[in-house]
Amino acid sequence: MKRQVLSFLSMLCVSYTLGQVSYIIPEEMPKGSVLGNIALDLGLDLKRLKSGIARVYTGGSIDYIRLNKESGVLVVQEKMDREALCGEKTPCALHFQLILENPMELFRVAVEITDINDNSPSFTSAEKRFEISESAAIGSKFILEKAMDSDIGMNGLQEYALSPTDHFVLKLQNQADGSKKVEMVLQKPLDREKQESMTLLLTALDGGEPQMSGTMQIFVTVLDVNDNAPTFDKALYRAKISENSPKGVSVTTVKAFDKDTGPNQELSYLISPSKHHLTEMFTIDPKTGEITLTGEIDYEKSAIYQMDIEAVDSGGLSDSTKLIVDVIDVNDNFPQINIVSKSDNLLEDAPKSTVIAMLSINDPDSENSGKVGCYIDDTVPFKIETTLNGFYTLVTEVSLDREISPKYNITVTCSDEGVPPLSSSITLTLQISDVNDNAPVFERSSYEAYILENNTPGLSIFTVKAADADCNQNARVSYILEDTSINGVPVSSYVSISADSGVIHAVRSFDYEQIKDFQFSVKAQDGGSPPLSSNVTVKILIQDQNDNPPQVLYPVQTGGSMVAEMVPRSADVGYLVTKVVAVDVDSGQNAWLSYKLQKATDRALFEVGLQNGEIRTIRQVTDKDAVKQRLTVIVEDNGQPSRSATVIVNVAVADSFPEVMSEFSDFPHDKEYNDNLTFYLVLALAVVSFLFITCLVVIISVKIYRWRQSRILYQSNLPVIPYYPPRYSDTLGTGTLPHVYNYEVCRTTDSRKSNSMFARAGNQNLLIMDPSSAGTMERTQSEKSILDEPDSPLEQKPPNNDWRFTQGQRPGPSGPHMPYGTHIRWTPKNGTRATGGPEVAMGTGPWPQPPTEAEQLQALMAAANEVSEATATLGPGTMGLSTRYSPQFTLQHVPDYRQNVYIPGSTATLTSNPQQQQATAQQATQQALPPPQASAQAEPPKAAQTPASKKKSTKKEKK
């Protein structure tokens, strides 16, 4: 074995021929023997062998060679017997391919296997028997069986040796196929009587090292005379037979002649048994010499058969001839398609001409029958190209798109050029792997959705849907709200969207009156890397619901005062009293309003326009109609269900203002009863009970203090002028007049006994009254008795310097309302008016103090001046009456309201201009004393009783 390895190393050679590597090795190398460094010979890096998944492809035969990827060497995996692999063929070569992937590469490797002397020559038969006539002539030839040696070259059969050589010698004759014909030649006459039989030893020797041999024994029996040997008519016979011919077909017939006669002329034919497989393929008729086919002829296994035919006569003489049978090839083999390498998956963005498979095509037939061409269907975007002889690659022809076709079944058909042609096909399945090359696409270019207002937060509004032509993760669509704002508010505070389903939910409850519609963008994003996205605009339209009742704009309902429309008694049919104006912030039919008269004092007198809300008379107004008319108008919208609002319209049917005053003076207030009235009553009772005990002592003390103060004031000679602080009605912006009108009336103490006449305004449709003001006139009836009582507890507290009014803020003729009305003011009968002293004018010192003579004179002059101003302001154009007096003050509290405003029960004195007050005080001290009659005690004025006051007093007496 050591010698074999050394001879291998000495014989090993490597050659490169167009990318092909060839090695020469001896046969029978042990397993694990190194064949050669293929990586070094091909110039490949070991990393390339590993990354390319290098492997040896032998085409389905036994893997005699394997590749060591770690070292890059070829190693013997199975022992190689040259004789088993190639037989007599020379040179004997083993062909295989080295396949690399990523990218695919192919290298052809040829290993030539040299012969070693591992087979000794051998004979088919261990012995050979001859029967030779003693009369055989010298030079007679006897054909011996040729020895067989599987080795070739010097290791094959080289020579024969025959022993002993007393009568016979060997004669070797070269033949056309390179073999040697072995003949035993008689060189010495035989004498049966001397030697009846003899034994010879034929030895076959090869030329290997060490030399090996084989032997066969020859037994010769000497017969009596037969001196003519058979002779064939041809030294070489040729025949042709088609492969796949049926058994029993005649191949040819050989013929030999023998000059002897009789039994010695009878010949027997046989096929030389030197090649055992030939006797299985062919048989010869021993009498006729006809050769017939007994086995299966396959051109691919053997294209030619050579055999020796012998003819032997009865005397043992023989002759031989050569028969060569040529096999005619028939196109009986389909092209063989073997997949060397292939890809099952391919990215859709793979470049053009990407190799997806490598095929090995083989057809064992010869000539045109072995020429193969391959093609694929034109409908697939692939093409097949030939690389090396018998190898094809399948490559992409254009760019692929998985969305058009996610899978391809590629059928490769290979056909030879035989007659008729034979073809084979194989189908390769290629899956196209997805690449994120498609953005999600919405079903619509934009969406509109509707939702009713007052919805529940979290309500599902609408669903947007986007599809992605990709697959798996690349087709997984997520929905995202774009970060925008609606009226400065993030859109996420209005709606939300489900990332998986695309369902849009309302985050808040919508109000149609605040927002009617809004729009935002939704982004659909797939799960690819990098992700692709697309946007769509979604518009949400809020639908109105009848959730707002009508709102009455006119007439305005006030809590403190009462609004009344004035209708003259001379009004005709269809007279427009007023118009109820209402609005509904809803829209559509929810805002259609209708007006109905729900209740009325006299339904036969008024009607309300169903659509316009105008209140008109439906008959002539008569004297019998009540002055006070109360109408309840209901305003309904057209929603489902409808909502309504109620407004109360007070109508005064009268021609004169005093008549209206007398009727509306005791107009009762509407009372609203609270559901928690009991709770408040109990609470009030507890508080009053608690405060009663606390206040009892305080009240007694205050009464004693006031009694003492009133006694001091009562004994003074200061004329008393009753002063009533203003009580303004709530008329700002609630009535029908364009301005606020206040009426100021200056009367003497005697004028209370007669009725006051007021000038009538041009427009008498509105009367603004304070229900509590009716008591102003009545209050004057009791003022005298209060003033006359020496024990009267009414006494003004000293002023407080913290309270000051500017001149524009003071009530009275110098106040802001002077140009629009007159104030009712009482003066004594002689026209004098009381006022405070200098300390009072300046807001210093205690108040009130007994007036001095100068102060009395100042009061008289101021009163006269004020009466003249008030008289000038009275005139036509007064449209309503708003009394400014309250029964909370007595006649003693009459400071000059133009200079000072006193707050009852407080020490505050409100002055306008300190400089003006100081000048007034100095002027008062310099004036002369008033006449004696001016200092007389003024009689407290008595208020004249009006019809309203009479009714009021009657009610009080009943109570």
Side-chain angles (χ1 to χ4, degrees):
M1 178 59 67
K2 184 175 181 181
R3 275 175 45 187
Q4 291 180 358
V5 173
L6 291 175
S7 65
F8 155 68
L9 294 176
S10 63
M11 294 171 60
L12 179 63
C13 69
V14 180
S15 63
Y16 293 86
T17 304
L18 298 178
Q20 175 174 315
V21 180
S22 298
Y23 295 91
I24 301 176
I25 63 172
E27 66 175 334
E28 300 295 338
M29 288 187 67
K31 293 182 180 180
S33 299
V34 176
L35 181 63
N37 193 325
I38 188 69
L40 181 62
D41 297 335
L42 292 176
L44 298 176
D45 188 34
L46 292 179
K47 295 181 179 178
R48 174 65 180 130
L49 295 179
K50 296 178 181 178
S51 62
I53 315 176
R55 56 191 175 90
V56 174
Y57 175 76
T58 59
S61 61
I62 299 174
D63 295 331
Y64 292 99
I65 307 297
R66 67 178 177 87
L67 173 65
N68 189 336
K69 298 178 184 179
E70 300 297 328
S71 59
V73 297
L74 294 175
V75 180
V76 176
Q77 185 166 317
E78 294 289 340
K79 280 188 177 183
M80 291 174 282
D81 188 0
R82 191 203 65 81
E83 290 74 21
L85 290 174
C86 302
E88 297 178 359
K89 184 178 178 181
T90 182
C92 181
L94 178 64
H95 298 276
F96 59 92
Q97 291 78 33
L98 180 65
I99 306 298
L100 296 177
E101 297 182 2
N102 298 322
M104 293 184 182
E105 292 182 288
L106 181 144
F107 301 91
R108 300 186 65 175
V109 181
V111 178
E112 183 178 350
I113 304 173
T114 60
D115 186 45
I116 63 174
N117 192 20
D118 59 339
N119 292 284
S120 60
S122 62
F123 293 89
T124 304
S125 301
E127 61 182 28
K128 179 71 173 177
R129 295 183 178 273
F130 290 96
E131 293 181 353
I132 304 173
S133 175
E134 63 179 351
S135 62
I138 296 174
S140 296
K141 296 181 292 185
F142 301 93
I143 304 300
L144 298 178
E145 179 183 351
K146 293 185 289 186
M148 298 298 298
D149 193 336
S150 300
D151 296 329
I152 61 174
M154 291 299 297
N155 295 324
L157 181 62
Q158 297 295 325
E159 59 183 358
Y160 291 89
L162 182 64
S163 62
T165 58
D166 296 337
H167 292 84
F168 298 93
V169 295
L170 286 178
K171 182 181 179 181
L172 301 178
Q173 184 178 354
N174 294 327
Q175 292 184 324
D177 60 347
S179 63
K180 293 182 179 181
K181 184 178 180 181
V182 183
E183 295 178 334
M184 184 176 63
V185 179
L186 181 64
Q187 67 175 352
K188 182 178 179 181
L190 298 177
D191 189 359
R192 187 188 68 84
E193 287 73 24
K194 290 182 178 180
Q195 192 175 357
E196 185 177 357
S197 63
M198 58 187 68
T199 301
L200 305 176
L201 181 64
L202 180 61
T203 303
L205 300 172
D206 61 18
E209 191 67 31
Q211 190 177 41
M212 302 181 74
S213 62
T215 60
M216 180 181 67
Q217 284 187 334
I218 301 174
F219 298 95
V220 178
T221 302
V222 180
L223 299 178
D224 202 12
V225 178
N226 183 19
D227 54 356
N228 291 297
T231 303
F232 283 95
D233 57 356
K234 293 181 181 179
L236 178 63
Y237 286 87
R238 276 190 173 273
K240 293 183 179 180
I241 186 172
S242 298
E243 67 172 327
N244 301 325
S245 296
K247 295 179 180 180
V249 174
S250 175
V251 178
T252 187
T253 300
V254 295
K255 191 65 176 176
F257 300 95
D258 193 332
K259 296 179 179 179
D260 293 327
T261 60
N264 294 328
Q265 192 181 17
E266 295 179 0
L267 301 178
S268 176
Y269 299 94
L270 58 92
I271 298 175
S272 175
S274 59
K275 295 182 179 180
H276 179 69
H277 66 285
L278 293 178
T279 59
E280 295 178 354
M281 298 288 297
F282 303 94
T283 60
I284 189 171
D285 190 337
K287 298 297 183 182
T288 62
E290 182 183 8
I291 300 173
T292 58
L293 180 65
T294 57
E296 294 182 355
I297 293 295
D298 191 352
Y299 177 84
E300 287 71 37
K301 291 183 179 179
S302 179
I304 187 172
Y305 293 92
Q306 298 183 19
M307 65 191 79
D308 294 325
I309 307 299
E310 298 179 8
V312 181
D313 60 15
S314 59
L317 300 178
S318 64
D319 192 11
S320 65
T321 186
K322 189 77 170 179
L323 174 61
I324 298 176
V325 179
D326 294 319
V327 180
I328 301 174
D329 186 26
V330 176
N331 190 22
D332 61 341
N333 290 282
F334 291 87
Q336 299 174 0
I337 304 175
N338 297 314
I339 300 175
V340 177
S341 180
K342 75 175 183 117
S343 298
D344 296 328
N345 295 280
L346 184 66
L347 292 175
E348 61 177 323
D349 62 346
K352 183 180 177 182
S353 300
T354 300
V355 178
I356 61 172
M358 185 176 292
L359 306 176
S360 173
I361 313 298
N362 180 39
D363 193 328
D365 294 326
S366 63
E367 300 180 353
N368 291 337
S369 298
K371 295 180 180 179
V372 180
C374 297
Y375 61 90
I376 61 175
D377 193 356
D378 295 335
T379 59
V380 295
F382 305 96
K383 64 180 179 179
I384 189 167
E385 298 176 344
T386 180
T387 53
L388 300 174
N389 186 20
F391 285 87
Y392 292 84
T393 56
L394 191 63
V395 298
T396 57
E397 190 173 17
V398 295
S399 298
L400 305 178
D401 190 350
R402 191 207 64 84
E403 288 69 39
I404 297 177
S405 180
K407 182 177 73 172
Y408 291 96
N409 291 320
I410 309 167
T411 300
V412 180
T413 303
C414 296
S415 178
D416 59 24
E417 298 180 5
V419 180
L422 299 178
S423 62
S424 301
S425 61
I426 187 172
T427 300
L428 303 177
T429 300
L430 180 64
Q431 299 286 345
I432 306 301
S433 300
D434 186 41
V435 175
N436 191 25
D437 56 348
N438 291 278
V441 178
F442 285 93
E443 295 176 348
R444 303 180 189 175
S445 58
S446 62
Y447 291 88
E448 282 191 0
Y450 296 87
I451 183 173
L452 289 172
E453 64 172 333
N454 304 320
N455 59 287
T456 303
L459 178 68
S460 174
I461 303 177
F462 192 65
T463 301
V464 296
K465 196 69 177 177
D468 196 316
D470 294 323
C471 66
N472 299 331
Q473 184 67 20
N474 295 332
R476 182 180 180 183
V477 180
S478 299
Y479 302 91
I480 305 170
L481 278 180
E482 287 288 352
D483 190 11
T484 57
S485 61
I486 301 173
N487 299 328
V489 179
V491 69
S492 58
S493 64
Y494 285 86
V495 293
S496 64
I497 188 169
S498 175
D500 296 328
S501 62
V503 178
I504 299 175
H505 299 273
V507 175
R508 62 169 62 177
S509 179
F510 297 109
D511 189 355
Y512 177 82
E513 287 71 37
Q514 293 182 0
I515 181 171
K516 293 179 174 55
D517 61 72
F518 62 93
Q519 65 181 17
F520 53 91
S521 295
V522 175
K523 179 171 73 173
Q525 180 175 290
D526 59 25
S529 179
L532 300 178
S533 63
S534 60
N535 291 7
V536 71
T537 300
V538 179
K539 186 175 183 180
I540 304 297
L541 302 172
I542 313 300
Q543 293 182 329
D544 184 38
Q545 281 187 328
N546 191 25
D547 58 340
N548 292 282
Q551 298 178 3
V552 179
L553 302 181
Y554 183 84
V556 178
Q557 301 295 296
T558 60
S561 60
M562 189 172 300
V563 178
E565 304 292 339
M566 210 165 184
V567 178
R569 293 188 180 274
S570 59
D572 294 332
V573 177
Y575 178 81
L576 178 60
V577 178
T578 186
K579 182 178 182 179
V580 177
V581 180
V583 294
D584 195 323
V585 295
D586 292 324
S587 64
Q589 66 176 6
N590 295 331
W592 297 351
L593 301 181
S594 60
Y595 303 84
K596 298 178 182 178
L597 186 60
Q598 186 181 32
K599 291 190 298 183
T601 305
D602 188 354
R603 282 186 173 270
L605 182 57
F606 302 101
E607 68 174 357
V608 179
L610 182 62
Q611 302 297 334
N612 54 22
E614 294 179 350
I615 301 177
R616 296 180 180 270
T617 59
I618 57 178
R619 63 174 176 82
Q620 182 70 38
V621 181
T622 63
D623 296 337
K624 295 181 180 180
D625 292 327
V627 176
K628 297 183 294 182
Q629 296 288 335
R630 182 183 178 93
L631 307 179
T632 302
V633 178
I634 184 170
V635 184
E636 291 184 345
D637 57 26
N638 198 35
Q640 291 295 332
S642 62
R643 293 177 177 268
S644 62
T646 304
V647 60
I648 298 175
V649 180
N650 297 306
V651 180
V653 181
D655 291 329
S656 62
F657 195 80
E659 182 180 0
V660 176
M661 283 294 301
S662 63
E663 291 295 332
F664 277 84
S665 60
D666 58 344
F667 205 104
H669 282 285
D670 291 334
K671 297 182 180 180
E672 297 181 357
Y673 293 94
N674 197 313
D675 294 338
N676 297 325
L677 181 60
T678 303
F679 171 77
Y680 291 115
L681 289 176
V682 173
L683 182 62
L685 180 61
V687 173
V688 170
S689 301
F690 174 78
L691 296 177
F692 176 75
I693 299 174
T694 306
C695 296
L696 186 60
V697 177
V698 177
I699 293 174
I700 295 174
S701 301
V702 171
K703 283 185 174 291
I704 295 174
Y705 176 79
R706 288 183 177 179
W707 176 78
R708 294 184 61 186
Q709 294 294 329
S710 64
R711 294 296 299 174
I712 297 173
L713 182 61
Y714 181 77
Q715 294 175 1
S716 65
N717 295 326
L718 179 66
V720 179
I721 301 175
Y723 171 71
Y724 293 89
R727 182 180 182 88
Y728 297 100
S729 300
D730 185 11
T731 61
L732 292 176
T734 60
T736 59
L737 296 180
H739 301 286
V740 177
Y741 292 88
N742 296 322
Y743 296 88
E744 183 177 288
V745 179
C746 296
R747 304 175 64 188
T748 63
T749 55
D750 291 338
S751 63
R752 81 179 86 176
K753 299 179 181 179
S754 62
N755 292 333
S756 298
M757 298 300 293
F758 295 92
R760 179 172 297 176
N763 186 359
Q764 299 178 354
N765 288 340
L766 180 63
L767 179 63
I768 302 176
M769 304 189 69
D770 192 335
S772 64
S773 63
T776 304
M777 296 297 184
E778 299 174 351
R779 184 66 177 177
T780 58
Q781 296 178 355
S782 61
E783 289 175 351
K784 181 177 180 181
S785 60
I786 295 174
L787 295 174
D788 292 341
E789 294 178 0
D791 298 332
S792 176
L794 299 179
E795 183 178 356
Q796 182 67 36
K797 292 185 178 181
N800 189 344
N801 294 334
D802 296 336
W803 291 87
R804 303 286 180 177
F805 279 156
T806 63
Q807 186 173 359
Q809 294 173 330
R810 289 201 310 268
S814 59
H817 303 292
M818 182 60 190
Y820 300 101
T822 59
H823 299 277
I824 300 175
R825 184 171 290 113
W826 300 100
T827 59
K829 184 175 182 181
N830 54 7
T832 61
R833 181 182 178 189
T835 182
E839 295 83 357
V840 176
M842 295 300 295
T844 60
W847 185 88
Q849 293 291 342
T852 62
E853 296 295 336
E855 293 173 345
Q856 294 180 14
L857 179 59
Q858 178 188 5
L860 291 175
M861 295 179 64
N865 183 29
E866 190 169 342
V867 169
S868 64
E869 292 176 354
T871 305
T873 57
L874 291 175
T878 59
M879 300 174 62
L881 179 61
S882 175
T883 59
R884 304 180 54 202
Y885 300 97
S886 175
Q888 298 176 1
F889 300 91
T890 63
L891 297 177
Q892 291 178 341
H893 306 156
V894 288
D896 188 358
Y897 69 91
R898 293 181 301 172
Q899 303 297 331
N900 302 286
V901 177
Y902 297 91
I903 300 176
S906 172
T907 59
T909 301
L910 307 181
T911 62
S912 62
N913 190 346
Q915 296 179 357
Q916 181 180 358
Q917 295 172 2
Q918 185 176 3
T920 304
Q922 293 176 359
Q923 182 181 358
T925 55
Q926 295 174 2
Q927 291 179 352
L929 294 174
Q933 63 272 16
S935 62
Q937 180 70 32
E939 182 181 359
K942 294 183 180 180
Q945 289 197 2
T946 62
S949 62
K950 291 179 181 180
K951 294 179 181 180
K952 189 81 173 188
S953 60
T954 304
K955 292 180 180 180
K956 290 182 179 180
E957 290 174 359
K958 290 180 180 181
K959 290 181 180 179

